[in-house]
Amino acid sequence: MRPVYELYIAIRHLTSRRRQTIFSVLAVGLAVMGLMWSQALMVGFTDEMYSKTVDRMAHVTVEPKEDENYIHLYRKLTEDITHIDGVVGVSPVLAGAATFEYKGKNKNVAIQGIKVEAHDSVLHINDDIVEGSFRDLEVTPNSVVVGDALAEKLGVEIGDTIDASFPEANPAALKVVGIYDSGTPLDETIAITSLSTAQDFLDVSNVVTTILVRGDDRERAQAISEEIDTMGYPASGWKETNPEIIQTLKLEGTSNTIIMSLIIIIASFGIVSTLFMAVMEKTKEIGMLMAMGVPRRSIMIIFVMESGILGLLGAIVGVMVGAALAIQMGSYDYGMEVMAGISSIPFVVRIQDAVIIVLFTFLLNLIAGIYPASRASKLKPVEAIGRE
Amino acid sequence: MSDKYIIQIKNLTKIFGDGVEIKALDGVNLDIERGEFLSIIGPSGSGKSTLLNLIGILDTPTSGTVLLNGVDVTKMSDKERSRTRNRELGFIFQYHHLLPDFNALENVMMPLLISGVKSSKAREVARKVLDEVGLGDRMEHRPNQLSGGQNQRVAIARALANKPSIVIGDEPTGNLDSKASGNIYELLRQLNREHNQTFILVTHDERMAAKTDRIIRLVDGRVAENSINSG
Ligand SMILES: Nc1ncnc2c1ncn2[C@@H]1O[C@H](COP(=O)(O)OP(=O)(O)O)[C@@H](O)[C@H]1O
Ligand SMILES: [Mg+2]
């Protein structure tokens, strides 16, 4: 096999001018570290945003067939959806409107009739309960759980009974068995009952208006909704129902990456100037290498390699330090809230980010090395060796 | 094409400068035999280095041709030139021009590595050549740790490492005292006899020139004298 003397010479050049080499590696390393760190922060932040928003909503929403008001065969459909790959929760919901009255105060609300366990598996409602319990909905007939804001508006407490009515509905007296706080404006308008209570009130039987589905991964929503579509019911993933979420997060991520990439480009062009100096210093050597039979192409390769090696080393050092820093800072508990509900900064270091950053920096430095390298390769041997 | 002549120079002219033209070589004709030990002398500025650089394919002539082993070097691609420099030519300059980042052994290995020889084999050959030039005990030293004469010996070893058919030296001892330079000449002469390589040396030391097979005297870019030494 042909020994690669170009690499041998390139490495020796780098180890001989150790100071410049270390400096170049550190410069690139610093920039890459910044990119890695901020990328980890971005990913962590985005993840956090998703779990604060998307993970609290149904991943997939199933609606009645076109021209129908209800899903009629919801038991069978619910069962079928449960068997789709990746589905971890399915909740049939009957929604309708009602007017609540308590001690002379009126409020129009949206009633949702649910099966508590199924609904919790999709929306983790039990996490939001502040008083009483959702489970009591299925123990106590004609009971209701209301949002804290709604409870305040009506002035009800656990144990109080609300009069519910609506045109074409069967009036009912609903006992408050729980109060929840989801932290959203919906706390003022949504009242939750058992599915059978809702069916009685709305005067329907064996129907629901929607089926809510949760997958094991929010990115699976699309696949799941397509599968449900094939069962004959229109289903849509959370990205379709809430396109603005994606938009906002994408935008922030992109501008951040662009800024950090620019910093790396600047650092890489620092290497170009170091390399130019090296080429000037080594003019005689380059001439002598040519006299020894090194073709121009190989002179070029030697200097591009030097740039590439510097970039690669800088990238690896930078990614490692950046990742370490992110992991360290991410595991630190600040003892107070840094973001809504969390007391540590949510860094997420992804292998694929590290690999992409390293490849990007390496390629960039190969390209940056081309100019000084081609200058070196275009030297004329006699002139390079010089007349003394 | 003749097998007898390793180098054939025909009507070689080299003009420098774009404003004021300097005719460094003016229609030089010269044939050199395989195994010859030849010296080029002449006053400073007479074109000796220019001629040597053209023979060594380090520069291109304004007109005329240089044939190495019957091949016109002016028509070669960069790849062919590099290959010829690597395989057929060994260079020794007035200043050693060793690679400062490599030790003596590595410098001597370099032409071999460039030609694609495995590094273990290159190391072995380089050791032998360094022994031959009397530097067997300084192999691990870098150029800045060696004296002028020692570096020049390393440069000679490097020029010889790939067993080139032609060794060209541009005042190879010009930088050394007379004792050291006498030793180097003896060494080159001995190597020439042992390996039947062709040596072309530029010198302005007439006493040294007198010891070579043939003297070419250049004056103003022309061959003014071409005399075979009897002694
Ligand atoms: N690169 C160059 N540019 C301009 N003039 C040159 C160059 N190289 C050599 N010359 C001129 O060509 C002439 C011959 O130079 P050279 O071959 O170096 O002479 P020598 O080696 O015999 O001293 C001199 O006048 C020198 O100044
Ligand atoms: Mg000269």
Side-chain angles (χ1 to χ4, degrees):
Chain A
M1 199 196 72
R2 179 174 170 279
V4 190
Y5 70 88
E6 291 94 340
L7 183 61
Y8 175 55
I9 295 174
I11 288 175
R12 183 61 60 89
H13 280 169
L14 293 177
T15 53
S16 291
R17 54 184 148 94
R18 190 159 307 160
R19 262 245 222 85
Q20 286 109 304
T21 298
I22 291 173
F23 187 78
S24 301
V25 168
L26 286 184
V28 173
L30 215 62
V32 169
M33 183 192 87
L35 179 56
M36 187 67 221
W37 183 86
S38 74
Q39 181 65 20
L41 182 60
M42 267 310 303
V43 173
F45 178 72
T46 311
D47 238 38
E48 195 61 36
M49 287 305 291
Y50 277 128
S51 42
K52 280 263 171 294
T53 53
V54 180
D55 290 359
R56 305 186 59 126
M57 53 175 88
H59 292 172
V60 177
T61 308
V62 187
E63 281 161 23
K65 287 181 178 170
E66 229 178 307
D67 302 331
E68 292 183 7
N69 293 325
Y70 300 104
I71 299 173
H72 291 278
L73 300 169
Y74 75 89
R75 284 200 184 82
K76 166 86 166 65
L77 183 59
T78 302
E79 178 71 17
D80 288 347
I81 293 171
T82 310
H83 291 123
I84 295 175
D85 247 8
V87 168
V88 296
V90 187
S91 171
V93 178
L94 176 65
T99 303
F100 277 11
E101 191 201 334
Y102 180 72
K103 291 192 175 162
K105 291 186 189 121
N106 288 307
K107 188 93 180 63
N108 283 329
V109 303
I111 275 200
Q112 291 183 352
I114 60 158
K115 291 179 174 294
V116 174
E117 204 178 317
H119 205 58
D120 184 57
S121 72
V122 175
L123 294 179
H124 304 313
I125 47 170
N126 284 332
D127 296 348
D128 293 337
I129 200 85
V130 288
E131 250 186 287
S133 140
F134 275 105
R135 284 188 186 90
D136 288 350
L137 288 177
E138 272 158 7
V139 181
T140 314
N142 283 338
S143 56
V144 67
V145 173
V146 293
D148 57 347
L150 179 58
E152 206 172 309
K153 274 261 157 72
L154 291 170
V156 295
E157 286 171 14
I158 299 275
D160 293 341
T161 301
I162 298 170
D163 289 320
S165 63
F166 210 70
E168 288 175 39
N170 300 320
L174 302 175
K175 188 177 173 196
V176 177
V177 293
I179 294 172
Y180 73 90
D181 175 14
S182 71
T184 69
L186 296 179
D187 293 353
E188 205 184 313
T189 53
I190 290 183
I192 294 173
T193 68
S194 71
L195 185 52
S196 58
T197 302
Q199 285 171 342
D200 287 347
F201 176 73
L202 296 169
D203 200 18
V204 292
S205 55
N206 279 325
V207 296
V208 296
T209 47
T210 49
I211 296 177
L212 304 180
V213 184
R214 165 176 291 271
D216 54 0
D217 180 349
R218 59 174 173 263
E219 293 306 324
R220 213 153 178 165
Q222 192 57 33
I224 293 172
S225 76
E226 276 166 19
E227 188 106 359
I228 296 170
D229 279 336
T230 66
M231 296 174 177
Y233 287 86
S236 38
W238 61 270
K239 287 184 190 176
E240 293 166 70
T241 25
N242 307 70
E244 70 285 351
I245 293 178
I246 300 274
Q247 218 102 59
T248 324
L249 294 179
K250 270 242 169 70
L251 218 62
E252 282 180 39
T254 316
S255 63
N256 183 290
T257 308
I258 289 174
I259 292 169
M260 294 315 295
S261 304
L262 276 177
I263 294 175
I264 291 188
I265 289 173
I266 292 165
S268 300
F269 279 83
I271 285 187
V272 174
S273 67
T274 320
L275 215 57
F276 256 120
M277 271 161 37
V279 169
M280 307 255 266
E281 255 171 49
K282 295 200 174 299
T283 300
K284 279 187 198 305
E285 269 185 67
I286 292 164
M288 200 53 225
L289 284 170
M290 287 173 164
M292 281 192 270
V294 177
R296 296 184 185 283
R297 218 177 77 91
S298 294
I299 298 282
M300 176 107 185
I301 290 172
I302 290 169
F303 286 94
V304 169
M305 273 178 169
E306 288 182 31
S307 179
I309 291 168
L310 289 174
L312 192 61
L313 286 179
I316 290 171
V317 169
V319 158
M320 282 183 0
V321 176
L325 206 65
I327 290 168
Q328 173 64 29
M329 287 177 73
S331 62
Y332 185 78
D333 192 328
Y334 289 85
M336 52 172 200
E337 284 200 3
V338 290
M339 258 174 69
I342 41 167
S343 60
S344 61
I345 303 175
F347 286 95
V348 173
V349 176
R350 296 188 304 188
I351 298 290
Q352 78 250 42
D353 291 333
V355 170
I356 288 171
I357 291 171
V358 168
L359 283 180
F360 167 72
T361 311
F362 177 56
L363 274 177
L364 192 70
N365 278 276
L366 283 184
I367 293 167
I370 287 175
Y371 187 43
S374 79
R375 281 285 282 270
S377 77
K378 288 199 178 100
L379 290 171
K380 291 192 176 138
V382 234
E383 286 171 15
I385 293 168
R387 295 188 296 148
E388 271 156 315
Chain B
M1 197 208 304
S2 163
D3 230 22
K4 188 175 163 198
Y5 297 118
I6 187 164
I7 300 167
Q8 292 170 289
I9 295 164
K10 291 200 179 72
N11 226 349
L12 198 63
T13 298
K14 177 72 182 178
I15 298 170
F16 286 111
D18 17 39
V20 186
E21 292 196 344
I22 301 165
K23 217 173 211 178
L25 289 179
D26 186 4
V28 169
N29 288 292
L30 184 62
D31 292 337
I32 300 170
E33 283 178 36
R34 199 174 292 279
E36 248 192 296
F37 195 87
L38 180 137
S39 58
I40 299 173
I41 59 170
S44 174
S46 58
K48 306 183 293 295
S49 296
T50 305
L51 178 58
L52 221 56
N53 289 337
L54 290 173
I55 293 172
I57 339 178
L58 295 177
D59 206 352
T60 47
T62 309
S63 65
T65 55
V66 176
L67 306 188
L68 293 189
N69 289 312
V71 182
D72 185 353
V73 300
T74 58
K75 298 217 162 65
M76 285 179 172
S77 68
D78 180 63
K79 209 174 154 196
E80 291 164 328
R81 275 161 206 256
S82 308
R83 202 184 144 80
T84 308
R85 283 188 210 122
N86 179 249
R87 305 286 168 94
E88 304 295 336
L89 291 157
F91 295 86
I92 312 164
F93 297 95
Q94 182 174 358
Y95 296 91
H96 56 79
H97 292 314
L98 293 173
L99 306 178
D101 304 326
F102 294 82
N103 67 30
L105 185 68
E106 291 163 340
N107 262 287
V108 178
M109 286 166 68
M110 199 55 77
L112 294 151
L113 296 178
I114 292 166
S115 70
V117 173
K118 270 206 222 140
S119 75
S120 56
K121 173 77 180 158
R123 192 176 301 274
E124 188 191 314
V125 173
R127 278 221 169 85
K128 244 173 63 193
V129 185
L130 274 169
D131 269 333
E132 267 190 281
V133 300
L135 267 181
D137 55 343
R138 292 282 193 283
M139 300 207 200
E140 311 293 330
H141 290 58
R142 287 203 181 182
N144 62 5
Q145 299 168 314
L146 294 171
S147 74
Q150 287 170 330
N151 275 328
Q152 204 59 356
R153 282 167 186 268
V154 178
I156 290 168
R158 177 179 64 182
L160 298 170
N162 232 359
K163 302 224 179 318
S165 49
I166 304 161
V167 178
I168 60 183
D170 193 349
E171 308 197 28
T173 62
N175 209 20
L176 305 176
D177 62 45
S178 65
K179 182 164 176 287
S181 91
N183 289 340
I184 297 265
Y185 254 97
E186 285 309 316
L187 175 64
L188 294 177
R189 191 59 172 161
Q190 181 196 335
L191 292 167
N192 161 253
R193 291 205 180 98
E194 280 170 13
H195 303 299
N196 195 36
Q197 285 157 307
T198 307
F199 277 71
I200 307 167
L201 303 177
V202 165
T203 179
H204 45 229
D205 185 337
E206 304 251 352
R207 280 187 310 145
M208 292 294 175
K211 293 187 203 162
T212 60
D213 297 340
R214 182 153 62 125
I215 297 174
I216 308 293
R217 183 188 300 275
L218 289 185
V219 175
D220 291 339
R222 293 164 194 264
V223 178
E225 182 193 339
N226 184 346
S227 58
I228 310 275
N229 272 335
S230 44

